[in-house]
Amino acid sequence: MAIAIAVTTAATGLAGTAFAGPSTGVERTAASAASNATLVVEAARTAAFTHASATGVTKGDELHAQDVMIDPEGARHVRFVRTHGDLPVLGGDLIVHLDRGLGYTGVTRAADHTVEPAAKARLTPAQAAAKAAEAAKGDAGGARLVVDARGGASALAYQVTVTTDADSHTVVVDAVTGKVRSNTPVRDEFLSPKLVDTLRERGESADPATGAGSAPTASGLLGSGVSGATRYQSAAKGTGKTLFVGTVGLTTTQTSRGHFQLKDPNRYGTETRDAKGSETEKFSAGTKFTNTTDVWGNGKTTSRVSAAADAQYGITKTLDFYKATFGRKGIANNSKPAQGMVHWGKKVGNAFWDPDCNCMLYGDGDGDLFKKPLVVLDVTGHELTHGVVEATANLQPTIVDKYGNQYGEPGSLNESLADIFGSNVEFYAKNTKDTPDYLIGEKMGLAQKFLRRLDHPSLDKLEGTIDYWKPEVYGTEVHAGSGVSSHAYYLLAEGSGKKTIGSVTYNSPTYHNLTVKGIGRTKATAIYYRALTRYMVSDTDFHQARLATLKAAKDLYGANSTEYKTVDRSWSAVNVTAANTPAARH
């Protein structure tokens, strides 16, 4: 199994001054960190086997480093995926923590049991593929043997990719019993099937207002074949006339004299293309946006380029947020571009992060419930954060129903983090046409004026988002369940009670009316990012997220700090405490 190792060297997982935590050491250079990565990985791997009773690593396991994080204050963290007898282990990921001297200090692990699958499969690969195709109602690819260590037990299983008319699914079939263990869509949809059904039942639709401008002349847009493109290639200052954020600056590529492409050479070559109504998952199949004026769109849907300008703006602002705030170079921290394709599919009222494409896919709306392209800024920030989560903790839903709705606390935490960092993209962008706030989807044109909100999640009546944890949250749809940790984050940042920020008035309630005084968005965001990258794994639930954020706060500010104590209080204010931690994990 070939795994690319990303080395993070910032003390807090942060960069710059805006989010810097207390200085506790001299930051290593990236080159120095990279040269020591192999040493750190080997020390962590050795420690994992030496401390097998704690890490759960056993004979037959192999650990493959996915990420190495070196903190100047002393800690080192190595995120591993696992194979057992050369078979990939689903839910077998773990993070080994070391001190400056590479001594073992602890572990964060997904599977809380020893991986001991059945010795022999009873189903053939063909039989497993047939069962997967029936479950996902599509065409099955090849079946590969894996060990499924999710859900408190280990089983020999087949993993099959099934392609349907609308999506691809990863289906896991028990190799002994033939039972379908999981059936998960590959793409993450911004709008859940449950939400779409609710809107339809209510007879509501979303028809957001868009900008205005004059359409470009016909000669202003060109096809993708630009003469001399391979010889020129230089950064240019373009202008985007978007649907939702007004007129914005865009860095583009001048491909030859008087010819431009919607591609940003200063941000790893990040580019937006036109899917032209196809449902392709290959970015190379998209048509390049080129122009002779370096002005993109007209602020209306009458220009196909307007949505592309929104997408390119949102993607590049998200990249800038992660780099300026955390020193993160690209979605996977590998200095590779984030891509976007607009006009994806026919009558698609959704937007997706697609890991197969490694890009954002934006539909134009279905013309019924959603009448405009879903290229809103916080939608892009939300969806690209799913890519960041995938590259780090890889939080997974525990249940997916036959309609594609997802359930379970790790999936809810994933949605919450996407909302948290998606709202932070707005604060970073400071766009006067989309003023920063703790609301998600406020530009979508919904009757309730937003989709979700972090201060008082239960004001979202469309998805039935919840404010506080209770045992039943395990069976809650992930967008609804996301309110627990989103609420905790808001309370950590801004505190409880009434508050006006910009043009929005917030009034955040708490469990048992507990008062919380916020520590500020800067510190709260630093804590949650560090928790995600250092202390969360694929099955982290809300109580474990509490522990992860406490560890992050201790790293950054100390165990006796106000920040640490406020993290604890913010979780108590949403009813996540040490005292009510479930005895058994789901």
Side-chain angles (χ1 to χ4, degrees):
M1 177 182 290
I3 301 292
I5 301 175
V7 182
T8 303
T9 58
T12 63
L14 311 175
T17 59
F19 277 69
S23 178
T24 54
V26 179
E27 184 172 341
R28 293 178 180 269
T29 65
S32 172
S35 67
N36 289 322
T38 300
L39 182 64
V40 175
V41 168
E42 287 307 314
R45 185 179 285 114
T46 299
F49 282 94
T50 301
H51 299 272
S53 60
T55 64
V57 177
T58 188
K59 183 179 179 180
D61 284 352
E62 290 187 11
L63 300 180
H64 306 267
Q66 185 182 32
D67 202 357
V68 181
M69 293 153 282
I70 301 175
D71 302 334
E73 71 269 21
R76 283 87 171 96
H77 317 264
V78 182
R79 187 182 294 274
F80 290 107
V81 292
R82 188 188 323 193
T83 57
H84 183 82
D86 295 327
L87 301 180
V89 179
L90 308 181
D93 52 304
L94 65 156
I95 307 169
V96 176
H97 309 291
L98 307 172
D99 60 21
R100 185 183 295 276
L102 303 185
Y104 173 81
T105 59
V107 66
T108 304
R109 53 188 281 201
D112 58 357
H113 54 277
T114 302
V115 176
E116 293 179 347
K120 189 175 181 180
R122 294 182 181 175
L123 268 68
T124 66
Q127 289 172 326
K131 287 185 175 292
E134 181 181 2
K137 299 187 175 6
D139 298 322
R144 69 165 182 168
L145 277 173
V146 298
V147 178
D148 188 359
R150 302 169 299 173
S154 297
L156 191 64
Y158 286 102
Q159 188 178 56
V160 186
T161 298
V162 178
T163 303
T164 70
D165 291 338
D167 195 359
S168 295
H169 288 240
T170 300
V171 183
V172 178
V173 179
D174 195 296
V176 176
T177 67
K179 177 184 176 181
V180 174
R181 299 178 64 85
S182 63
N183 177 6
T184 308
V186 171
R187 290 196 298 267
D188 183 277
E189 298 182 342
F190 182 73
L191 305 170
S192 69
K194 185 177 180 181
L195 170 63
V196 172
D197 287 344
T198 299
L199 287 169
R200 187 169 285 114
E201 289 169 2
R202 292 184 174 197
E204 294 183 18
S205 64
D207 189 11
T210 54
S214 59
T217 60
S219 60
L221 297 179
L222 302 175
S224 60
V226 180
S227 175
T230 57
R231 298 194 311 271
Y232 217 95
Q233 304 298 332
S234 61
K237 294 182 178 180
T239 299
K241 294 188 175 182
T242 70
L243 297 174
F244 296 108
V245 288
T247 300
V248 297
L250 297 173
T251 301
T252 60
T253 299
Q254 186 167 5
T255 56
S256 64
R257 185 178 179 86
H259 295 83
F260 304 90
Q261 184 178 339
L262 194 56
K263 181 177 182 178
D264 191 332
N266 294 344
R267 293 170 177 84
Y268 324 112
T270 289
E271 180 183 0
T272 299
R273 292 188 178 185
D274 190 345
K276 290 195 169 180
S278 75
E279 294 187 0
T280 180
E281 293 182 77
K282 293 182 179 179
F283 184 73
S284 59
T287 300
K288 299 175 184 178
F289 282 104
T290 58
N291 205 332
T292 58
T293 64
D294 214 5
V295 175
W296 308 87
N298 66 353
K300 301 178 180 179
T301 55
T302 52
S303 169
R304 296 183 68 80
V305 194
S306 298
D310 279 278
Q312 185 76 356
Y313 175 81
I315 293 169
T316 53
K317 283 299 180 185
T318 302
L319 290 174
D320 286 354
F321 160 72
Y322 275 105
K323 185 176 181 180
T325 311
F326 310 119
R328 190 174 187 85
K329 299 178 180 178
I331 299 305
N333 200 27
N334 58 3
S335 299
K336 291 186 177 181
Q339 313 288 21
M341 280 199 288
V342 293
H343 310 304
W344 189 85
K346 298 184 185 301
K347 294 187 179 297
V348 174
N350 224 321
F352 321 86
W353 164 253
D354 190 319
D356 288 342
C357 174
N358 195 36
C359 61
M360 282 293 305
L361 305 175
Y362 301 92
D364 282 334
D366 59 7
D368 179 21
L369 298 180
F370 296 94
K371 302 182 187 299
K372 300 283 172 57
L374 261 71
V375 288
V376 178
L377 179 59
D378 59 6
V379 171
T380 295
H382 172 106
E383 288 300 314
L384 285 177
T385 296
H386 281 310
V388 173
V389 173
E390 179 192 27
T392 54
N394 195 25
L395 292 157
Q396 296 291 316
T398 48
I399 302 170
V400 181
D401 68 19
K402 63 181 181 180
Y403 303 107
N405 295 297
Q406 302 180 17
Y407 301 84
E409 291 187 20
S412 293
L413 182 59
N414 192 341
E415 291 299 331
S416 170
L417 291 167
D419 281 352
I420 288 167
F421 292 114
S423 69
N424 269 274
V425 169
E426 277 191 3
F427 280 102
Y428 176 83
K430 298 179 182 177
N431 187 290
T432 57
K433 298 292 185 181
D434 191 354
T435 52
D437 51 47
Y438 290 102
L439 312 179
I440 301 298
E442 74 279 4
K443 298 277 285 186
M444 290 172 58
L446 294 166
Q448 70 177 19
K449 306 301 183 184
F450 57 85
L451 180 55
R452 290 182 295 277
R453 57 188 299 155
L454 279 61
D455 67 313
H456 194 166
S458 64
L459 292 179
D460 166 24
K461 304 302 181 182
L462 287 171
E463 295 174 304
T465 307
I466 58 177
D467 293 326
Y468 312 117
W469 181 85
K470 54 185 177 181
E472 292 78 12
V473 171
Y474 171 71
T476 301
E477 194 273 332
V478 294
H479 296 87
S482 71
V484 174
S485 46
S486 291
H487 194 188
Y489 167 83
Y490 176 87
L491 290 167
L492 177 63
E494 302 291 351
S496 57
K498 194 170 184 178
K499 190 172 190 176
T500 299
I501 304 171
S503 60
V504 180
T505 298
Y506 304 92
N507 194 358
S508 191
T510 60
Y511 197 74
H512 289 327
N513 297 315
L514 188 68
T515 301
V516 181
K517 183 178 180 180
I519 61 172
R521 183 176 52 83
T522 294
K523 290 180 178 179
T525 304
I527 290 168
Y528 269 68
Y529 180 78
R530 189 180 182 93
L532 166 65
T533 55
R534 266 70 167 173
Y535 298 113
M536 292 184 186
V537 289
S538 59
D539 66 350
T540 296
D541 59 25
F542 288 131
H543 284 81
Q544 291 163 330
R546 169 184 171 272
L547 295 177
T549 51
L550 284 170
K551 289 176 182 176
K554 179 182 178 181
D555 289 349
L556 296 175
Y557 308 107
N560 294 318
S561 65
T562 297
E563 292 83 358
Y564 182 93
K565 294 172 183 176
T566 308
V567 168
D568 193 30
R569 193 169 181 84
S570 68
W571 282 106
S572 294
V574 297
N575 196 35
V576 176
T577 67
N580 66 13
T581 302
R585 291 176 61 189
H586 292 290

